[in-house]
Each structure stands twice: as C-alpha cells, then as structure tokens.
Amino acid sequence: MPRRPTPLPASLASSGFTVREARAAGVSLTRLRAADLRTPASGIRHPRGLAPDLVARAGMLGSRHPGAFLSHFTAAAFWILQVEPRTRIERERIDLAVRAELPRPRGDGVRGHRLDLGRDELVTVDGLEVTSPARTWLDLASVGCDVEDLTVAADRLVWTRHPLATVHQLERMLLRHRGARGIRSLRIALDEAIEDADSSRETRLRLCIIAAGLPRPVAAHVVRDPYGRAVATADLAFVEHRVLLEYEGDHHRTDRGQWAHDVDRFNRLQGLGWICFRIGAAQFARPDQVVAVVARALAARTRRGTPGV
C-alpha cells in the first residue's frame, strides 16, 4: 500500500505556494514532487483539488520576478472588469509586466510584457502591485479585446454604484497614449460606455440592440405608477414605446420569494401598459432572436400607438 505523503505545514496546506516558500518552511524537494500536488507553473505548487484563483497565482508568480506587477487580463480579473481571453489555455496564463527598462518576465504559465507607465498608472493594493483601472483598460486593447469587450470594461469602470475610474480619467488616458495599439476601438468603447450598466450581460445585450439598428435603450430606467411611486427599475427600457428587458439569473427561478416578487412586479408593469421581456441564459445565448422579438414589439407599438402615452 503506497505511503501517504507527509502533511504539509498548515500555512501551505490550504492554498497555493511557491517552491521558495515551501523550502523556507522545511518542505523537501521530494515532498514537492508528490502526486497530491499540482504544478500550474514553474516554481508554484498547490494541493490537488484546490485551484487558487488567478490573482492568487499571479501573486505567487510575481514573487519570482523582481519588479513585476499584474497587468492586462490578470489585472482585469483583479479589478473584476468581466473580460477574459477567449481560450482556456490563454485564460490560465498570468499577465505579468515590468517597466520598459527591465527584461520581460518569462516562464511557464506567464505572459510577459514591458510597459512604459505614467506616474499614476501603477498602484499597490494589499501589497500587490497592479496596473491602475484606467491603465488596465488601455492595455486590454493591445491583447485582442474588441470594442464590445472594451465597452464592457469601461461600463464596469465608470459604474455609478462602485466606480473605479471616471470618464475624464479614461479620456485623459487616451490623450496620454495617443499612439497606443487599439486606440480607435478604445475611443468607440468610451463613447458607448454608460454609468448605469449593472452587468456585463446587460452591456452586451445593449450593444447588440444598438448594432441591429434599433433605438438606443435606456439603462436602469425607473418605472413609476400614475401617482409617481416607483414600481420597478428596468435593466433596459424603450421608454417611448413602453417596452423593457430584464436579464434574470437563475436565482430568480430557484428562490421562491424572488419568484413571487417577480410575478407581482411583472403583473404591475403589464397593468401599466409595458411589454416586458425577461432574458435568461438561454435567451442571452441567442441575442439575434431577442433582437427580433424586441424589434417586432417596437414596430407594433409604433403602428398602434403606446397605451397611456
């Protein structure tokens, strides 16, 4: 019967760690080669069944590259900008950058960069160095993000509930880096960005609707009854036509209280003359069908007139 590996020190057993940290804690090289440990990148281990998130792995890798900091997609994950590479292999790699005068970080699991940074474009959060939110947005254009992704990120940055940057800061970043790769896409994204988008899916649906040539919907529109009382806040609304869309996660179906609230609100909206479309994951997967249904509703309201208007 094979021997069970020696237990790891408590400080290492519940998270990922570097080989240097393990050796300093007295762990042998033989133990670091045991089958119960995974090697996501050279110099890093973590227990099988435990997958440290991207930012945690980035912090461990960064400790092996003096002067390195989180950038690009890894910085986007840190700031929760809701964009990521298209492929699984690319998603598992860590973006580490250094200032332009230093050698580019290299190694397994690392995507290295050299950046010419402005004075306010690198920040330290909980001991971890990462490109600022505005600079991260700029850099995303250089690694293949299209206008839609860049708009998703911009919406998150200027989100009124928890802003990470202002429109002015993003404009200033574009002026400072006029020759940056993807600058045209960044300018279009900034023009499209709004402060009221609550999720990346709302942003993507809004952009799909606009691209189809439909009227530009209003985000976070408050619907009121004839007495001025708020009935609901619609994710996207065509106010003149009284047509609205709401993106609903699975909890709207599985939570009985939420479901009862949704039904009541839906009935009140219908009673006020609104056409309501509820968009779930299945509908979001076919945005062309959503656009077609909404287009028919808008056309019908245009022909017949909008009730109460």
Side-chain angles (χ1 to χ4, degrees):
M1 185 174 180
R3 289 179 55 187
R4 182 172 298 179
T6 305
L8 293 168
S11 60
L12 306 179
S14 61
S15 65
F17 53 87
T18 66
V19 169
R20 179 177 297 180
E21 288 171 335
R23 296 292 287 149
V27 180
S28 70
L29 290 175
T30 300
R31 177 65 183 90
L32 291 173
R33 290 192 288 267
D36 68 324
L37 297 178
R38 290 192 65 237
T39 306
S42 178
I44 291 180
R45 303 288 189 275
H46 69 74
R48 287 189 180 277
L50 174 71
D53 64 34
L54 192 69
V55 173
R57 288 196 291 121
M60 290 185 288
L61 270 175
S63 68
R64 300 178 58 242
H65 296 275
F69 47 87
L70 278 57
S71 68
H72 298 77
F73 283 115
T74 306
F78 180 87
W79 297 117
I80 319 178
L81 299 189
Q82 300 180 305
V83 295
E84 59 183 16
R86 306 294 183 191
T87 68
R88 181 182 62 81
I89 292 175
E90 287 297 299
R91 286 194 294 271
E92 290 179 352
R93 296 174 72 187
I94 302 298
D95 283 301
L96 288 179
V98 293
R99 292 187 179 275
E101 63 271 16
L102 297 175
R104 188 191 311 270
R106 300 183 184 278
D108 294 340
V110 173
R111 186 168 39 227
H113 310 270
R114 296 169 64 210
L115 299 178
D116 186 7
L117 295 174
R119 194 163 47 89
D120 58 347
E121 295 175 15
L122 185 65
V123 297
T124 302
V125 181
D126 295 332
L128 197 63
E129 283 198 307
V130 56
T131 49
S132 70
R135 175 64 200 227
T136 299
W137 176 68
L138 179 89
D139 290 333
L140 287 173
S142 71
V143 286
C145 279
D146 58 17
V147 170
E148 183 176 309
D149 282 339
L150 294 171
T151 306
V152 167
D155 274 6
R156 174 64 190 89
L157 288 169
V158 301
W159 188 38
T160 189
R161 295 193 195 181
H162 185 197
L164 297 172
T166 65
V167 171
H168 176 69
Q169 287 172 325
L170 298 184
E171 290 173 340
R172 192 172 62 189
M173 186 65 62
L174 297 184
L175 287 173
R176 184 185 297 168
H177 299 278
R178 293 182 182 86
R181 182 180 173 187
I183 194 72
R184 182 173 178 275
S185 294
L186 288 161
R187 289 192 179 113
I188 295 172
L190 186 54
D191 286 342
E192 290 290 350
I194 63 174
E195 298 177 339
D196 298 316
D198 285 341
S199 74
S200 62
R201 290 196 162 183
E202 288 177 30
T203 297
R204 295 186 191 280
L205 186 58
R206 180 181 90 244
L207 295 177
C208 186
I209 288 169
I210 294 170
L214 298 182
R216 186 178 294 268
V218 177
H221 175 70
V222 179
V223 177
R224 299 185 182 276
D225 67 15
Y227 303 99
R229 295 173 300 200
V231 174
T233 300
D235 293 336
L236 297 172
F238 300 89
V239 180
E240 292 183 4
H241 301 82
R242 289 204 182 181
V243 173
L244 64 81
L245 295 86
E246 296 208 315
Y247 181 79
E248 297 185 350
D250 200 45
H251 73 284
H252 286 265
R253 178 183 62 84
T254 58
D255 186 316
R256 292 174 64 89
Q258 182 67 55
W259 174 257
H261 172 76
D262 289 345
V263 170
D264 179 63
R265 188 175 61 146
F266 179 82
N267 290 336
R268 293 178 68 191
L269 288 166
Q270 292 280 72
L272 292 171
W274 285 81
I275 297 176
C276 310
F277 293 104
R278 302 171 72 180
I279 312 299
Q283 290 74 34
F284 185 80
R286 294 299 307 272
D288 55 326
Q289 293 184 357
V290 175
V291 168
V293 170
V294 172
R296 287 195 292 270
L298 295 177
R301 281 283 163 92
T302 300
R303 288 195 304 270
R304 302 170 190 166
T306 303
V309 175

